[in-house]
Amino acid sequence: MLTSQRKQHILAILQRDGQVIAKAVSQELALSEDTIRRDLRELAAEGLLQRVHGGALPASPAVADFASRNHIAADGKARIGRAAAQMIGDGQIAIVDGGTTAVQLTRQLPASLHATIVTHSPSVAVELALHPHVEVILIGGRLFKHSVVTMGTAALAALAHIRADLFFMGVTGVHAQAGLSTGDLEEAHMKRALMQHASETIVLASAEKIGAASAYVIAPLAEASGIITETTIGDAQLAPLRGAGIVITQV
């Protein structure tokens, strides 16, 4: 079998099963695991999968920059944002992550809401600038231009005095075994810190992020309280997530 044929076979397994186990593929094709691992490395370099210990998972397409992500699953993100906005009650403090779905959340907040929104996203803060009753706390720091959020020591220090009721977190991957992940190491640390300053974490994940993984782990799946995602995802794909005790809301 040619290298190109092996790679297509690996991608077909990934699409069918949602994962690739290197040992199983090597046995199936009567090839060494080193050969299959080399194929996985090359496919990962092309952005076609995410390597994990023992094999590979689907790579999240949501690692594009902020401007590009605006065009991915726009309708689904609006529905997710609307459902998330309805979870914030009067008098509550909510941390809102950066990202395109988070912007949709802020646009859906009712004008009558009296609450406090903490965010490290200038885009989220600007969306709320004209809201009549929402107090906005903008966390400063170094601007990570890819996701248009602040990060770094100053941002982490600003969190020290904040205890929120809810944290609405954006991710690029949600997987039962690989956990919650994103495409940048420092961003993963920032999201982890935000989780630790809220009583509950709700993950906002459009369909392409479910069952996918990115390079940097934020936290195990079980550390989230719930996930809001789309109705287009089937029960079989969601079953492993529910097995982790996560409440899943589909909209």
Side-chain angles (χ1 to χ4, degrees), residues 125-145:
V126 168
E127 288 287 339
L128 291 171
L130 297 180
H131 193 288
H133 305 298
V134 167
E135 181 178 357
V136 182
I137 298 174
L138 178 60
I139 297 171
R142 180 181 65 84
L143 184 67
F144 179 43
K145 294 181 180 180

Side-chain angles (χ1 to χ4, degrees), residues 60 84 122 124 146 151 206:
S60 173
V124 166
H146 178 275
M151 299 194 302
S206 46

Side-chain angles (χ1 to χ4, degrees), residues 148-222:
V148 195
V149 293
T150 59
M151 299 194 302
T153 304
L156 292 172
L159 286 174
H161 304 289
I162 295 172
R163 291 289 181 270
D165 299 292
L166 296 165
F167 170 38
F168 294 97
M169 181 168 69
V171 298
T172 57
V174 179
H175 191 276
Q177 283 75 49
L180 306 167
S181 57
T182 192
D184 179 85
L185 177 59
E186 190 174 358
E187 192 172 21
H189 282 296
M190 185 66 189
K191 290 175 186 289
R192 175 74 179 175
L194 291 167
M195 288 182 75
Q196 293 171 343
H197 286 267
S199 298
E200 296 183 65
T201 294
I202 307 298
V203 177
L204 311 180
S206 46
E208 76 278 2
K209 300 171 185 177
I210 302 297
S214 292
Y216 300 102
V217 176
I218 302 163
L221 182 63

Side-chain angles (χ1 to χ4, degrees), residues 25 51 55 75 116 141 160 162 180 190 234-235:
V25 177
R51 291 186 69 211
D75 291 343
T116 298
I162 295 172
L180 306 167
M190 185 66 189
D235 289 339

